[in-house]
Amino acid sequence: MPDMIKPADHPTFPKQKVGILLANLGTPDATDYWSMRRYLNEFLSDKRVIDFPAWKWQPLLQLIILTKRPFSSGEAYRSIWNTEKDESPLMTITRDQTEAISAKLSEQYGDEVMVDFCMRYGNPSTKSKVDAMVKAGCNRILFVPLYPHYAGATSATANDEFFRALMEQKMQPSARTIDPYFEHPAYIDALAKSVEEGYAKLDHEPDLLVVSYHGMPQRYLKEGDPYHCQCQKASRLLRERLGWEQDKIVTTFQSVFGTEEWLRPYTVEHVAELAKQGKKRIAVIAPAFSADCIETLEEIQEEICESFEEAGGEIFSYIPCLNDRPDHIEALCQVINENLGGWLR
C-alpha cells in the first residue's frame, strides 16, 4: 500500500530519542538584592521545603525574611561566586557534570540520547528544559535529580516540578524518575576514593571524619521521610568500604533553619564539641551534595570551620564533593543506564 500523502501544512516531527534530564537544587542569577529575593522567594515558598500554612508563613516570608535575607545571602554568594563565568559554582559544576555524562552516553547510544540539566529553583527552569526536549523529539524522558538520598525537600520537589512541566505538554513523553542511589556500590566507591585521596594529600591523619548532611526538621522523619535513615546507612557503607572502626567517623546535619527541632547532632555545634573533647584535627565531607555549592563552599568552609577553630580546633580539612570526578560520572552513568532498561539497547 502506498504511503499516505501528507497535506502541505502537516507538521514535521524530529527523530525520536530518549531525553536524560539532570536536575539540581538551583541558583540565583546574580548576587544583587532582587536576584536573591526572586530566588529565595521561589525556594522558601515551596511547600515541600516549608510546609507551614500559607496564611501563617507568607506574611512572615514576604514582610520580614525577604526584606533582610537577600542581603546576607547575596554577601555569602559573592564570597564563592565564579566571577569568570558570572555564575554560581553549582551552575558551573552541574554543567560540567552534564557535559561529561553526555559525552559518555553518546559513546554508547550516539544521537539516540539527549542529555541536559535544569534547576528546581531559578534558571534553567525544569519547564524550559522539558519543552526543549519534547521539541527535539524526546518521546521518553528519564528525570535524574542529583541527590543520592531521597528527601521530600530535594528529590520529591524536583519530581513535582518535572511532573508539572509534563502536564503542559500537548503530547506527553513517557517518563521515569530514578531511585535514590546512596547505596549504589559505584557511588560509595567514588565517595570512599575521594576520602582516601583527600587524606593522602594531608601531612597528618585527622582524628575524625565528620560526615555532614543537609538537615531537615525532626518532624519530617516522624511523618515518614526516609532521608535520615538513608544518611545513616550511607555513612555506615562508607565506613565499611574504608575499613574503618566506628570511632573514626561521625554523622551530623547542617543548615538548620527556623526554630523547630531539626535532625541532630547539628554540625556547627558538634564540631565545637569535638574540639573541646580533644579532637583537634578533623576532616569534613558532605555526601548529600553532588556538587559543591553555598552549603559546602561557604557554610562548611567558613561558618562551621570557624566554630571548630574558635572552640580550640587546630586543623580543619574539607574534602570536596564528588563534582565531575571521573568515578562520580561513571557512577551516575551506571545509575542512568540501570534506569534506562528497555528504552535503549
Side-chain angles (χ1 to χ4, degrees):
M1 176 179 287
D3 292 338
M4 292 180 60
I5 298 175
K6 296 179 181 178
D9 61 350
H10 192 283
T12 58
F13 299 100
K15 177 185 175 183
Q16 291 185 341
K17 61 189 74 174
V18 173
I20 297 157
L21 184 56
L22 312 175
N24 217 321
L25 179 74
T27 170
D29 295 323
T31 61
D32 62 278
Y33 174 84
W34 289 108
S35 295
M36 291 303 312
R37 181 171 179 128
R38 282 193 300 272
Y39 173 72
L40 291 171
N41 182 49
E42 184 180 8
F43 175 46
L44 296 175
S45 292
D46 186 348
K47 294 286 285 185
R48 289 277 196 181
V49 176
I50 306 291
D51 64 353
F52 298 148
W55 66 266
K56 176 190 284 188
W57 174 242
Q58 281 298 321
L60 177 63
L61 176 64
Q62 301 299 329
L63 299 177
I64 299 177
I65 296 173
L66 291 181
T67 301
K68 301 178 179 179
R69 186 155 178 170
F71 291 110
S72 58
S73 293
E75 183 179 354
Y77 269 97
R78 280 190 289 276
S79 72
I80 65 165
W81 202 249
N82 182 342
T83 54
E84 181 180 346
K85 294 187 176 181
D86 192 24
E87 63 188 19
S88 74
L90 179 66
M91 179 72 78
T92 305
I93 296 167
T94 304
R95 183 186 299 108
D96 291 344
Q97 291 171 326
T98 303
E99 290 174 355
I101 291 171
S102 180
K104 198 167 183 65
L105 294 179
S106 292
E107 290 178 3
Q108 292 179 263
Y109 305 116
D111 63 359
E112 292 186 67
V113 296
M114 175 181 179
V115 182
D116 209 339
F117 76 93
C118 64
M119 297 292 180
R120 169 60 184 90
Y121 313 106
N123 296 305
S125 70
T126 306
K127 180 183 182 304
S128 70
K129 292 300 183 176
V130 169
D131 286 346
M133 282 191 162
V134 171
K135 288 176 182 176
C138 295
N139 65 326
R140 299 172 179 177
I141 298 178
L142 175 65
F143 189 65
V144 186
L146 291 171
Y147 307 110
H149 318 78
Y150 173 92
T154 55
S155 310
T157 189
N159 290 338
D160 290 346
E161 193 69 4
F162 174 55
F163 297 137
R164 277 191 286 268
L166 292 178
M167 289 171 63
E168 299 187 23
Q169 296 302 320
K170 183 68 68 177
M171 176 58 186
Q172 273 190 341
S174 299
R176 291 178 181 172
T177 61
I178 67 166
D179 288 330
Y181 57 91
F182 69 95
E183 57 186 337
H184 194 287
Y187 167 73
I188 292 295
D189 192 55
L191 201 59
K193 286 178 180 175
S194 75
V195 174
E196 291 168 342
E197 292 170 13
Y199 271 43
K201 293 176 182 177
L202 302 175
D203 59 4
H204 67 282
E205 181 177 337
D207 299 318
L208 195 69
L209 175 67
V210 177
V211 186
S212 181
Y213 297 89
H214 198 286
M216 68 162 54
Q218 282 274 7
R219 174 170 52 86
Y220 290 10
L221 168 62
K222 296 175 182 177
E223 291 171 350
D225 195 303
Y227 177 72
H228 177 265
C229 301
Q230 293 183 1
C231 291
Q232 295 290 352
K233 184 172 184 179
S235 291
R236 176 177 63 79
L237 292 173
L238 173 61
R239 179 180 61 78
E240 290 174 352
R241 162 59 181 78
L242 290 167
W244 290 1
E245 298 297 324
Q246 290 189 14
D247 62 355
K248 298 297 290 183
I249 188 170
V250 62
T251 295
T252 63
F253 297 90
Q254 65 183 83
S255 309
V256 177
F257 178 80
T259 57
E260 71 176 305
E261 187 77 1
W262 279 44
L263 299 176
R264 286 185 177 271
Y266 298 159
T267 306
V268 68
E269 295 178 358
H270 198 66
V271 295
E273 287 299 316
L274 290 173
K276 294 172 184 176
Q277 294 168 9
K279 306 292 186 182
K280 301 297 185 180
R281 303 178 299 185
I282 65 170
V284 179
I285 191 171
F289 304 97
S290 64
D292 277 305
C293 53
I294 191 75
E295 285 86 357
T296 64
L297 299 174
E298 195 276 335
E299 185 181 359
I300 289 180
Q301 295 189 68
E302 295 184 26
E303 179 186 349
I304 292 170
C305 176
E306 182 179 306
S307 174
F308 176 69
E309 292 176 344
E310 287 182 351
E314 297 172 359
I315 304 178
F316 183 98
S317 304
Y318 172 65
I319 298 171
C321 292
L322 295 179
N323 296 326
D324 61 344
R325 288 172 54 104
D327 50 8
H328 187 214
I329 299 303
E330 173 60 31
L332 289 172
C333 285
Q334 286 189 33
V335 171
I336 288 168
N337 272 315
E338 289 165 10
N339 282 273
L340 284 174
W343 275 7
L344 289 167
R345 290 179 296 176

